[in-house]
Amino acid sequence: MKYIIQNPITGKKVLTGELIEDTFYKRVKSSQKLRILDSYGIEASVVEDLKKRGCKKIVLIEDGKKEYSVSFNTFYTKAIRETFGKSSYQFYLPMKYWEKANEEQQGEQLVINL
């Protein structure tokens, strides 16, 4: 299921992410990161819908290269809920809570190759 959000200030419609089975995938650019919190935002309405649908995990794909993941429960309970600038009300989870999926996979691959 794809989530398309209309920004209440700019009126632009954007794809915010996609729920596949029990995992929500969101593509982000490093330039979109909210530096003061070291985090990316996910619209509150999307997060609440993901909760209703039983989402278990959230995966960020940064610049099409790096992947970070976190359990939905951790995201929901630890995220900062705020409106910044020209955005809607969002959940922001600092990057210190996310696991780097790509590095773990590469590390596993190195162990297998030894």
Side-chain angles (χ1 to χ4, degrees):
M1 173 179 184
K2 292 183 180 182
Y3 287 86
I4 297 172
I5 297 295
Q6 183 169 0
N7 184 302
I9 296 173
T10 65
K12 292 175 89 177
K13 290 184 180 182
V14 294
L15 175 66
T16 191
E18 186 171 8
L19 180 64
I20 301 173
E21 295 180 14
D22 62 357
T23 302
F24 180 70
Y25 296 88
K26 180 173 176 76
R27 293 186 171 277
V28 296
K29 295 177 183 173
S30 55
S31 62
Q32 297 171 314
K33 185 184 281 185
L34 182 62
R35 304 279 183 230
I36 193 166
L37 295 178
D38 188 33
S39 88
Y40 294 99
I42 299 177
E43 288 75 10
S45 61
V46 171
V47 174
E48 295 300 340
D49 190 68
L50 292 171
K51 182 179 179 186
K52 289 178 190 171
R53 294 179 186 274
C55 181
K56 302 281 187 227
K57 184 167 124 178
I58 297 175
V59 175
L60 289 179
I61 304 164
E62 186 180 60
D63 298 326
K65 299 174 185 174
K66 299 178 187 174
E67 287 187 16
Y68 300 91
S69 66
V70 69
S71 75
F72 182 83
N73 187 53
T74 298
F75 181 87
Y76 194 83
T77 58
K78 296 189 182 286
I80 297 161
R81 301 162 194 208
E82 190 64 64
T83 302
F84 289 101
K86 296 180 179 179
S87 71
S88 56
Y89 184 62
Q90 298 188 30
F91 283 58
Y92 295 90
L93 182 68
M95 295 307 291
K96 69 181 182 180
Y97 295 105
W98 297 80
E99 294 180 19
K100 295 178 184 176
N102 292 92
E103 288 183 7
E104 289 173 11
Q105 291 168 355
Q106 289 172 357
E108 289 173 13
Q109 188 176 16
L110 288 175
V111 171
I112 293 168
N113 290 335
L114 292 176

